[in-house]
Amino acid sequence: PAGRVTVGTEENWGSDASTRNSYMAFETAHNGVLSEQVIIGSDGSMQMMGDLNVGGDDGIGMPRRRP
């Protein structure tokens, strides 16, 4: 595959809502091998692997706006 998006559980889900946390991972292929590039945790944290290149008017540092 050229890539994959995975949504999974962070721990074994139980009947208690505090155990129902998930993550989302984005994978891309390089030389035919898939590897995770971005992971978003249930707490909103984001991990990015590799370099981050930003150009243009990217809005970094701008306050987050909600619709």
Side-chain angles (χ1 to χ4, degrees):
R4 178 173 38 209
V5 177
T6 303
V7 178
T9 61
E10 293 182 348
E11 62 270 312
N12 291 328
W13 283 26
S15 59
D16 185 352
S18 69
T19 65
R20 297 181 189 165
N21 301 313
S22 63
Y23 69 92
M24 181 177 284
F26 298 84
E27 299 175 68
T28 59
H30 181 73
N31 293 330
V33 177
L34 283 176
S35 60
E36 288 182 340
Q37 301 300 321
V38 178
I39 303 168
I40 303 171
S42 64
D43 62 357
S45 63
M46 183 170 69
Q47 299 175 18
M48 296 180 67
M49 289 38 151
D51 296 330
L52 174 62
N53 298 305
V54 179
D57 185 15
D58 52 36
I60 290 179
M62 301 288 289
R64 187 167 137 179
R65 294 183 213 144
R66 295 195 178 237

